Amino acid sequence: RGAECCILVYDITRLTSFNSIAKWYEVFISNSGVGDTMSFPFLLMGNKLDQESERQVASSKAFSWCRQNGGITFLETSAKDQTNVMEGFVNVAKQAFQKKCKIEPILIGKSIAPRKKLTKKKLEKKDNCPCCFILI
């Protein structure tokens, strides 16, 4: 409960790993209490891209699964040589950040107001939230 995003990882060299993704996805949804799965930040990562010659899961199969499940973001990665690993984490973090900032307005004084650029007064972080500030 309380997750801001979800990264599902399978091994491109093991079909059984990919076939487990649907189950892991359903388990996450039921245990996390995610209401709107269409707007929740998910990322599917196919790992071991450095072992392309041993591939058992075609990229097109993973793309198809992602489309069928609301357009989940998909990347193939290699943890061994760091291909697309950082890009994946940054992508899903940005999605989570954007979603959170759309939901939680900034507190200005004692009232709630939409986010806007404030330049003349000092801003202070609100409850360690990365996107919400209090105008003081």
Side-chain angles (χ1 to χ4, degrees):
R1 300 231 176 257
E4 300 294 337
C5 61
C6 177
I7 300 173
L8 300 166
V9 182
Y10 70 94
D11 179 345
I12 69 168
T13 68
R14 292 183 56 227
L15 183 58
T16 56
S17 175
F18 178 77
N19 290 338
S20 297
I21 289 293
K23 179 183 174 190
W24 300 335
Y25 177 72
E26 293 301 324
V27 167
F28 175 81
I29 290 169
S30 66
N31 289 332
S32 67
V34 171
D36 180 11
T37 58
M38 298 300 279
S39 68
F40 190 82
F42 281 99
L43 171 64
L44 178 64
M45 292 177 124
N47 193 35
K48 295 195 179 177
L49 189 56
D50 55 287
Q51 295 180 19
E52 178 69 37
S53 63
E54 299 173 41
R55 178 187 287 274
Q56 292 183 3
V57 182
S59 299
S60 59
K61 187 170 186 158
F63 273 118
S64 178
W65 186 88
C66 288
R67 276 193 305 275
Q68 292 169 1
N69 289 281
I72 291 173
T73 304
F74 170 67
L75 280 175
E76 289 192 328
T77 64
S78 169
K80 184 176 182 178
D81 65 20
Q82 298 298 307
T83 302
N84 287 336
V85 174
M86 183 63 75
E87 292 84 349
F89 283 101
V90 168
N91 179 289
V92 77
K94 282 182 182 179
Q95 289 179 50
F97 180 80
Q98 289 169 348
K99 182 177 187 274
K100 188 168 184 75
C101 288
K102 286 180 186 173
I103 294 170
E104 295 183 12
I106 294 176
L107 284 176
I108 299 179
K110 293 183 181 178
S111 64
I112 296 176
R115 273 183 252 348
K116 59 183 176 180
K117 189 172 183 178
L118 303 169
T119 56
K120 293 188 177 188
K121 296 195 177 188
K122 184 178 176 185
L123 294 175
E124 188 174 285
K125 283 201 177 277
K126 174 189 168 274
D127 301 325
N128 295 322
C129 178
C131 58
C132 300
F133 295 88
I134 300 174
L135 181 62
I136 56 172

